[in-house]
């Protein structure tokens, strides 16, 4: 459980959030309090899907902030292979440097969706598109700040929660207390496994700050992205108040059966399993995304 992880609440990084209203995604710049080093978590590349047009306004906003603050990017963290937005990690890496990291079980996701999208043998399914593949409990540094990764599967097999001092970046493992939890019906997802992963997060200290990857403003409230472990344990509508695993699985599976596929799942998976790179261009220099018919 979380007690085995190297938690240090005395380190309090500065966290700057960037909300993307098109995909309800929150990206973060996380600064080491003792240096100019930073990490960028879950960046967004913009796409007009109907027009097939890729742009970089969201990423450029982050790049401008990092430059204005005089920060040095050491890590570009992907909490998982997102199904609802495209990663801008390589675009930001080209501008600012840093290493791109994701969970080691990316290889499972690549194998699964390599088949779904009928990728050829040239598509490497070994995670080599990323600079670092994190295992559960792996540590790394942002400046002098010690960080670690927790494997939290259930939403996807490769989901990782990243802990940087007193700040934890949950990916899609948890939403705000009134948002509950993420779906668990994608290939490789499992509601029971997700419940167990959430319990690992809730075993962190109550004062640990939690930062969400998504917020949808339930019941018309303003968008929010920061809470605490203690607040989630008490008030999360899906797992708080001591809800049992059986209750959660029943609710999650019934709810997931009613959900539509994310609007951007087809382009997102093809790009994000490549660490944010577009598929290779054809002999004429043109790039295409595939639509698998009845494949998802």
């Amino acid at each position: 459980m979380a007690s085995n992880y190297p938690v240090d609440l005395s380190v309090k990084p500065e966290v700057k959030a960037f909300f993307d209203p098109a995909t309800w995604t929150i990206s973060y710049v996380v600064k080491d309090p003792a240096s100019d080093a930073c990490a960028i978590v879950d960046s967004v590349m913009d796409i007009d899907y109907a027009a097939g047009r890729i742009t970089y306004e969201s990423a450029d906003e982050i790049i401008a902030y990092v430059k204005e603050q005089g920060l040095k990017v050491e890590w570009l963290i992907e909490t998982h292979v997102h199904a609802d937005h495209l990663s801008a990690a390589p675009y930001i890496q080209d501008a600012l440097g840093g290493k791109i990291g994701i969970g080691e079980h990316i290889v499972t996701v690549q194998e699964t969706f390599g088949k779904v999208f009928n990728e050829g043998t040239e598509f490497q399914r070994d995670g080599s598109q990323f600079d670092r593949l994190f295992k559960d409990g792996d540590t790394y540094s942002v400046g002098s700040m010690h960080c670690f990764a927790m494997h939290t599967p259930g939403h996807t097999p490769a989901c990782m929660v990243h802990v940087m001092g007193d700040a934890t970046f949950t990916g899609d493992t948890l939403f705000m207390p009134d948002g509950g939890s993420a779906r668990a019906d994608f290939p490789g997802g499992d509601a029971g496994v997700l419940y167990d992963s959430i319990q690992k997060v809730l075993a962190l200290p109550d004062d640990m700050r939690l930062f969400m990857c998504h917020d949808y403003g339930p019941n018309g409230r303003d968008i929010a992205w920061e809470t605490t472990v203690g607040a989630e344990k008490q008030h999360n509508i899906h797992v708080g108040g001591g809800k049992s695993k059986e209750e959660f699985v029943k609710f999650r599976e019934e709810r997931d059966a009613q959900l539509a596929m994310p609007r951007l799942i087809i382009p997102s998976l093809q790009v994000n399993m490549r660490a944010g790179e577009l598929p290779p261009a054809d002999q004429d220099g043109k790039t295409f995304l595939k639509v698998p018919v009845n494949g998802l």
Side-chain angles (χ1 to χ4, degrees):
M1 292 298 288
S3 59
N4 297 323
Y5 295 105
V7 175
D8 185 358
L9 293 180
S10 70
V11 178
K12 302 182 184 300
E14 299 173 24
V15 180
K16 171 69 173 176
F18 296 81
F19 177 66
D20 176 47
T23 62
W24 310 92
T25 303
I26 304 100
S27 307
Y28 298 97
V29 175
V30 190
K31 179 188 174 296
D32 171 27
S35 73
D36 291 328
C38 73
I40 296 172
V41 180
D42 290 334
S43 61
V44 174
M45 178 167 66
D46 303 295
I47 182 171
D48 180 341
Y49 193 23
R53 185 174 298 114
I54 297 286
T55 53
Y56 298 95
E57 292 91 343
S58 297
D60 286 337
E61 186 180 356
I62 291 174
I63 291 168
Y65 174 80
V66 168
K67 289 181 175 178
E68 287 165 7
Q69 299 297 313
L71 303 180
K72 178 177 181 292
V73 176
E74 295 191 348
W75 286 99
L76 296 145
I77 298 295
E78 298 294 323
T79 55
H80 62 295
V81 174
H82 308 276
D84 41 25
H85 73 268
L86 286 66
S87 168
Y91 177 82
I92 295 175
Q93 185 182 50
D94 285 347
L96 300 174
K99 298 176 183 175
I100 302 175
I102 200 168
E104 64 173 340
H105 294 281
I106 177 64
V107 298
T108 304
V109 176
Q110 289 176 328
E111 184 63 33
T112 298
F113 290 106
K115 293 175 182 174
V116 169
F117 291 106
N118 195 30
E119 300 292 351
T121 54
E122 70 276 4
F123 173 58
Q124 298 297 312
R125 294 160 169 83
D126 58 2
S128 57
Q129 300 88 341
F130 298 82
D131 299 312
R132 172 79 179 268
L133 302 183
F134 293 104
K135 296 180 171 64
D136 183 56
D138 272 0
T139 59
Y140 60 101
S141 295
V142 176
S144 62
M145 179 169 58
H146 298 298
C147 312
F148 65 89
M150 300 167 60
H151 185 214
T152 53
H155 174 62
T156 80
C159 287
M160 302 289 282
V161 164
H162 284 261
V163 183
M164 305 180 189
D166 76 337
T168 292
F169 300 86
T170 65
D172 283 7
T173 300
L174 267 178
F175 293 154
M176 292 294 288
D178 61 347
S181 61
R183 65 195 299 163
D185 62 331
F186 294 149
D190 184 286
V193 172
L194 178 59
Y195 180 88
D196 293 340
S197 293
I198 290 171
Q199 298 311 308
K200 287 172 66 172
V201 178
L202 298 184
L204 293 165
D206 282 357
D207 291 341
M208 178 70 75
R209 293 185 288 163
L210 299 182
F211 293 90
M212 311 294 111
C213 182
H214 294 288
D215 188 65
Y216 303 95
N219 301 312
R221 72 152 165 74
D222 290 341
I223 298 298
W225 47 75
E226 181 179 350
T227 183
T228 64
V229 168
E232 291 280 20
K233 280 162 66 172
Q234 287 189 341
H235 303 300
N236 185 283
I237 58 173
H238 294 172
V239 295
K243 286 190 175 63
S244 70
K245 185 174 183 177
E246 291 72 25
E247 290 176 286
F248 177 80
V249 170
K250 182 176 185 296
F251 166 82
R252 189 72 266 168
E253 290 180 349
E254 290 175 355
R255 168 112 176 193
D256 290 350
Q258 302 168 16
L259 296 176
M261 279 289 171
R263 180 176 63 90
L264 296 178
I265 188 169
I266 288 174
S268 295
L269 291 175
Q270 290 174 80
V271 168
N272 295 338
M273 69 182 183
R274 292 179 163 90
E277 299 283 1
L278 294 169
D282 68 7
Q283 63 231 24
D284 298 320
K286 296 178 179 177
T287 301
F288 295 89
L289 293 164
K290 299 174 181 175
V291 178
V293 177
N294 298 328
L296 286 172

